[in-house]
């Protein structure tokens, strides 16, 4: 399908906008706070031999978000409903940052439609230490934020260049804070619940991430059965952007397990 033509799904009073490309085994791609465009390259790479479905979370990029819709669990249930509406089977969910948190919450609900999850520098669990918190990148200068998020910020970090783009970033970050809830970027109960993860998981982690570091990724992977941790060199919080080919290879190898 034409990437410029989003499909709209109406489920009661909730509107979901998503792109649907390619054919074959379905992949649901869930973006993080950087917005849906951060998954475009991965969606394009996967759609050559798979079906790539990439939604925009309500409230991001100007999409409507009802007042009653404001938790990670709301997103998880909405995307489970999307899998049902599209009658998808054998789905692999790929999530970056909060997208990984959503993927984990979806899989924990034991949907028979989900075969596995891929977490790309996900958040959602506590750090395991009261002295160490998840970095809030919006409290930093743009340069410091880029240095934490990317291995090579000079090449990959894209700063907004217009008032409209700056306003969109601010709106997206406001929406992110709504979803992240009372405890910034995590649910204190998630770590303990991960021991009940029913499906295989690949935890692919950019080694240079300064927002959620390798130790955090190891904690995430270690909490789940049937989990495998793969470190991605020369990549930060967005390994699927800085090392797209490596991440696609990891996902395709994981597909044989899921």
């Amino acid at each position: 399908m034409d990437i410029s033509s989003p499909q709209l799904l109406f489920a009661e009073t909730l509107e979901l906008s998503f792109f649907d490309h390619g054919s074959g085994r379905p992949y649901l791609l869930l973006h993080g706070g950087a917005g849906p465009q951060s998954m475009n390259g991965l969606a394009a790479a996967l759609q050559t031999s798979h079906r790539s479905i990439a939604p925009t979370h309500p409230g991001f990029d100007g999409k409507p978000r009802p007042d009653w819709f404001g938790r990670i669990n709301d997103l998880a249930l909405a995307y489970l409903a999307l899998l049902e509406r599209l009658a998808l089977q054998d789905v692999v969910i790929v999530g970056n940052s909060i997208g990984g948190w959503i993927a984990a919450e979806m899989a924990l609900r034991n949907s028979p439609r989900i075969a596995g999850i891929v977490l790309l520098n996900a958040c959602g669990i506590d750090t395991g230490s009261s002295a160490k918190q998840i970095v809030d990148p919006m409290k930093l200068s743009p340069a410091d934020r880029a240095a934490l998020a990317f291995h090579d910020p000079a090449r990959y970090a894209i700063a907004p260049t217009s008032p409209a783009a700056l306003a969109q970033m601010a709106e997206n970050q406001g929406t992110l804070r709504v979803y992240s809830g009372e405890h910034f970027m995590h649910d204190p109960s998630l770590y303990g619940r991960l021991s009940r993860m029913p499906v295989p998981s690949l935890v692919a982690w950019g080694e240079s991430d300064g927002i959620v570091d390798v130790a955090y990724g190891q904690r995430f992977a270690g909490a789940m059965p049937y989990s495998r941790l793969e470190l991605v060199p020369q990549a930060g919080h967005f390994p699927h952007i800085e090392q797209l080919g490596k991440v696609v290879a990891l996902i395709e190898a994981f597909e044989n397990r899921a």
Side-chain angles (χ1 to χ4, degrees), residues 13 24 30 36 43 57-58 76 82 91 113 126 128 143 164 188 201 203 242 252 254-255:
T13 58
L30 303 178
H57 306 326
L82 177 62
V91 180
R113 298 185 182 278
D126 62 273
S201 57
V203 180
E242 292 193 274
E252 290 183 339
F254 172 74
E255 181 178 17

Side-chain angles (χ1 to χ4, degrees), residues 126-208:
D126 62 273
T127 64
S129 169
S130 60
K132 187 175 184 180
Q133 303 300 319
I134 298 172
V135 174
D136 183 348
M138 296 311 293
K139 292 183 177 180
L140 305 174
S141 70
D144 289 341
R145 184 163 63 244
L148 289 179
F150 293 96
H151 175 80
D152 187 355
R155 181 177 179 183
Y156 291 101
I158 300 175
T161 57
S162 69
L166 285 168
Q168 186 67 76
M169 174 183 280
E171 183 178 340
N172 285 352
Q173 289 301 312
T175 298
L176 177 65
R177 274 159 174 73
V178 171
Y179 286 132
S180 67
E182 177 185 357
H183 304 278
F184 179 70
M185 297 302 286
H186 77 282
D187 176 348
S189 76
L190 179 58
Y191 178 77
R193 290 186 286 117
L194 288 176
S195 63
R196 302 194 296 272
M197 180 61 66
V199 297
S201 57
L202 169 65
V203 180
W205 217 264
E207 287 186 326
S208 300

Side-chain angles (χ1 to χ4, degrees), residues 5-248:
S5 301
Q7 293 191 15
L8 296 179
L9 173 74
F10 294 89
E12 299 179 349
T13 58
L14 180 68
E15 177 182 314
L16 291 180
S17 179
F18 63 97
F19 296 111
D20 190 348
H21 320 276
S23 61
R25 187 176 196 175
Y27 279 77
L28 180 67
L29 308 180
L30 303 178
H31 67 81
Q37 70 280 356
S38 65
M39 300 300 275
N40 285 351
L42 181 58
L46 288 175
Q47 76 183 56
T48 60
S49 55
H50 304 85
R51 183 176 178 183
S52 296
I53 300 162
T56 299
H57 306 326
F60 278 81
D61 282 16
K63 303 302 181 186
R65 182 187 63 80
D67 290 340
W68 53 265
F69 191 91
R71 302 180 303 161
I72 292 295
N73 283 341
D74 294 332
L75 287 163
L77 292 175
Y79 293 138
L80 286 170
L82 177 62
L83 301 188
E84 294 291 329
R85 181 67 64 89
L86 298 178
L88 299 177
Q89 300 288 347
D90 211 26
V91 180
V92 175
I93 306 174
V94 183
N96 170 236
S97 195
I98 68 159
W101 182 1
I102 300 164
E105 292 287 4
M106 290 177 68
L108 284 169
R109 284 167 171 77
N110 293 291
S111 168
R113 298 185 182 278
I114 298 172
I117 59 173
V118 178
L119 308 183
L120 305 174
N121 290 70
C123 63
I125 62 171
D126 62 273
T127 64
S129 169
S130 60
K132 187 175 184 180
Q133 303 300 319
I134 298 172
V135 174
D136 183 348
M138 296 311 293
K139 292 183 177 180
L140 305 174
S141 70
D144 289 341
R145 184 163 63 244
L148 289 179
F150 293 96
H151 175 80
D152 187 355
R155 181 177 179 183
Y156 291 101
I158 300 175
T161 57
S162 69
L166 285 168
Q168 186 67 76
M169 174 183 280
E171 183 178 340
N172 285 352
Q173 289 301 312
T175 298
L176 177 65
R177 274 159 174 73
V178 171
Y179 286 132
S180 67
E182 177 185 357
H183 304 278
F184 179 70
M185 297 302 286
H186 77 282
D187 176 348
S189 76
L190 179 58
Y191 178 77
R193 290 186 286 117
L194 288 176
S195 63
R196 302 194 296 272
M197 180 61 66
V199 297
S201 57
L202 169 65
V203 180
W205 217 264
E207 287 186 326
S208 300
D209 193 351
I211 297 173
V212 282
D213 60 16
V214 168
Y216 187 90
Q218 291 168 335
R219 178 172 171 79
F220 223 127
M224 295 181 288
Y226 326 117
S227 179
R228 179 174 180 176
L229 175 67
E230 292 281 356
L231 300 182
V232 183
Q234 298 184 335
H237 195 60
F238 307 98
H240 55 297
I241 293 177
E242 292 193 274
Q243 296 295 333
L244 176 60
K246 173 68 172 176
V247 169
V248 169

